């Protein structure tokens, strides 16, 4: 859609030129309209994200097609004084900014906060909503706190240019560096944190404290200077001549505008006018709009780095529960496939072989358990970790009601589980060769009902486990690795976190990567002549649950 975006920006540029002669606009309004017509659609296109199946995010498509008509309405709002009519004409642009915001949220929720360079792109998209809000406020002519109309318009410009575009540029830099170095440097990470936090910290400072504003400007300026150094060092020498010229102009001008920003912030702390607002708008505003942003976005469009890994499009189950799941969920919903028979979680463990991992190294009993699951009995012992024991009582009350992931209370002695495996209709689930493993206590209380499948991506096969839960499903994408000489590690996270592994909540409206991690360690206890497994779970990096399993072969 890049070609279409360039056409839209060309049309927008023509409309912008016409507006300069047809409408009486001050410099701030001219620059704001330049963003609306030209730089915003180009910058949005830079973030275009294609899922694995070739489909774009719905929010992105909607924003893309609405941008030009909403920009025209926003332009018409400048043909009249601020007020009700001008305000209503600007509401369309606010709606567009909401779509851009939701697009950023959709990317972020489906992927999580990593990798950092993609988070930077997300935050830029999210910040854009504030640009739409402040633009609409300015067109309605509303008074906000003690802000003058000039300050309101400058805030709108800030979130159409710097706060929106620079995090996205930084994300492009991160992609470029990742392709070169595979791992991002601490310097880049430090700069990114400052770039992402800077705009909102400055906004807080403008509202409440000039000293805080100056300190925030200092953080933002230092972070962007680091960005410039990394750019000059790693990007400019390695791209072709035309984008090199454009991004060189962008980055060089950014250094000059940063100097203006720092001096202006310092003058506000001293309450002395060093650079008056009109001069700030003239030099800083024009420099940012035409050189930093426009030249920069065109340069990046000519040399757009792709993400190192595409996490969008992980195959999720289409099976969703209501409030209650229960052990009979799959039967109640006519999901069982009576034409097939399954007695294991995995048909053949060797399907998970890859470079660096071979299931032939696993203890034979581990392979046998996964390929002949119903030939084994499970006993569990649950330990809720310190700080979560009281919470476990509340959790137990809820999980018993919903009949899913119904974990025992802390310190409960070994619970013997009964289980069955039933094949499911793959066409209803949406994944391949799906089977359900249903576990209950001996007295029939549901513990766990999950639909097991697997998927292959970039040469790696993942276990894909969907547990119907609260109008959607909770899905664990687990990766196999060898631990010790013959043990198995199944985990939702790895050291570099660049695969599909993770814990997700998925429903028809959204996919949300959860801040939960889990890993299983399965090994053969030679002394006891039995299989054992430990299941560890953590929330935001803090361990909260450990379940010990004894897995005994039925004789």
């Amino acid at each position: 859609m890049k070609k279409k975006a360039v056409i839209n920006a060309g049309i927008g540029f023509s409309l912008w030129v016409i507006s300069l002669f047809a409408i009486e606009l001050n410099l701030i309004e001219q620059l704001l309209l330049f963003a609306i017509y030209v730089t915003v659609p180009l910058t949005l296109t830079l973030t275009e994200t294609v899922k694995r199946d070739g489909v774009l995010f719905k929010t992105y498509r909607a924003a893309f097609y609405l941008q030009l008509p909403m920009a025209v309405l926003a332009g018409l709002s400048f043909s009249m004084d601020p007020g009700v009519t001008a305000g209503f004409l600007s509401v369309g642009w606010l709606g567009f900014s909401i779509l851009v915001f939701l697009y950023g949220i959709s990317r972020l929720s489906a992927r999580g906060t990593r990798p950092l360079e993609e988070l930077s792109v997300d935050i830029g998209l999210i910040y854009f909503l504030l640009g739409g809000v402040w633009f609409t406020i300015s067109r309605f002519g509303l008074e906000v706190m003690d802000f003058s109309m000039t300050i309101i318009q400058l805030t709108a410009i800030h979130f159409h240019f710097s706060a929106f575009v620079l995090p996205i540029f930084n994300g492009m830099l991160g992609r470029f560096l990742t392709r070169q170095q595979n791992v991002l440097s601490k310097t880049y990470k430090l700069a990114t944190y400052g770039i992402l936090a800077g705009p909102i910290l400055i906004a807080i400072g403008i509202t409440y404290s000039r000293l805080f504003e100056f300190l925030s400007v200092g953080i933002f300026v230092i972070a962007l200077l680091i960005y410039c150094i990394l750019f000059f060092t790693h990007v400019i020498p390695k791209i072709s001549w035309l984008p090199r010229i454009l991004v060189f102009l962008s980055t060089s001008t950014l250094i000059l505008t940063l100097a203006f920003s720092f001096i202006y912030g310092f003058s506000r702390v001293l309450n002395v006018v060093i650079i008056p607002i009109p001069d700030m708008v003239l030099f800083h505003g024009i420099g940012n709009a035409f050189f930093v942003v426009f030249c920069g976005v065109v340069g990046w469009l000519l040399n757009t780095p792709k993400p190192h890994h595409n996490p969008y499009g992980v195959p999720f189950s289409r099976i969703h529960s209501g409030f209650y799941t229960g052990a009979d969920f799959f039967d109640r919903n006519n999901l069982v496939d009576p034409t097939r028979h399954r007695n294991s979680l995995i048909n053949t463990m060797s399907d998970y072989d890859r470079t660096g991992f071979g299931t032939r190294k696993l203890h034979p009993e581990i392979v046998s358990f996964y390929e002949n699951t119903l030939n084994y009995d499970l006993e569990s012992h649950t330990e809720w970790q310190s700080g979560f024991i009281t919470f476990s009582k509340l959790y137990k009350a809820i999980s018993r009601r919903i009949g899913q992931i119904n974990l025992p209370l802390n310190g409960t002695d070994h619970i013997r589980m009964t289980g069955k495996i039933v094949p499911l209709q793959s066409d209803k689930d949406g994944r391949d060769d799906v089977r359900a493993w249903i576990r209950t206590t001996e007295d029939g209380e549901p513990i766990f009902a999950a639909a097991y499948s697997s998927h292959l991506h970039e040469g790696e096969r993942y276990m894909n486990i969907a547990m119907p839960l609260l109008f959607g499903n909770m899905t664990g994408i687990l990766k196999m690795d060898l631990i010790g000489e013959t043990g198995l590690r199944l985990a939702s996270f790895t050291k570099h976190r660049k695969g599909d592994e993770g814990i997700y909540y998925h429903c028809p409206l959204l996919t949300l990567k959860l801040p939960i991690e889990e890993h299983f360690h399965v090994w053969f206890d030679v002394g006891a002549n039995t299989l054992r497994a430990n299941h560890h779970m953590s929330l935001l990096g803090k361990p909260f649950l450990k379940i010990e399993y004894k897995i005994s072969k039925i004789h």
Side-chain angles (χ1 to χ4, degrees), residues 143-179:
E143 293 184 4
V144 178
M145 300 176 73
D146 294 324
F147 296 157
S148 66
M149 185 54 62
T150 298
I151 294 298
I152 289 173
Q153 289 180 332
L154 287 174
T155 305
I157 276 191
H158 177 66
F159 286 102
H160 276 76
F161 284 112
S162 297
F164 170 49
V165 176
L166 292 178
I168 293 173
F169 283 3
N170 182 68
M172 298 300 112
L173 171 63
R175 289 181 184 178
F176 198 94
L177 294 175
T178 301
R179 290 289 178 184

Side-chain angles (χ1 to χ4, degrees), residues 314-328:
V314 172
F316 290 102
S317 171
R318 293 197 294 262
I319 296 174
H320 306 134
S321 72
F323 178 79
Y324 180 75
T325 303
D328 63 345

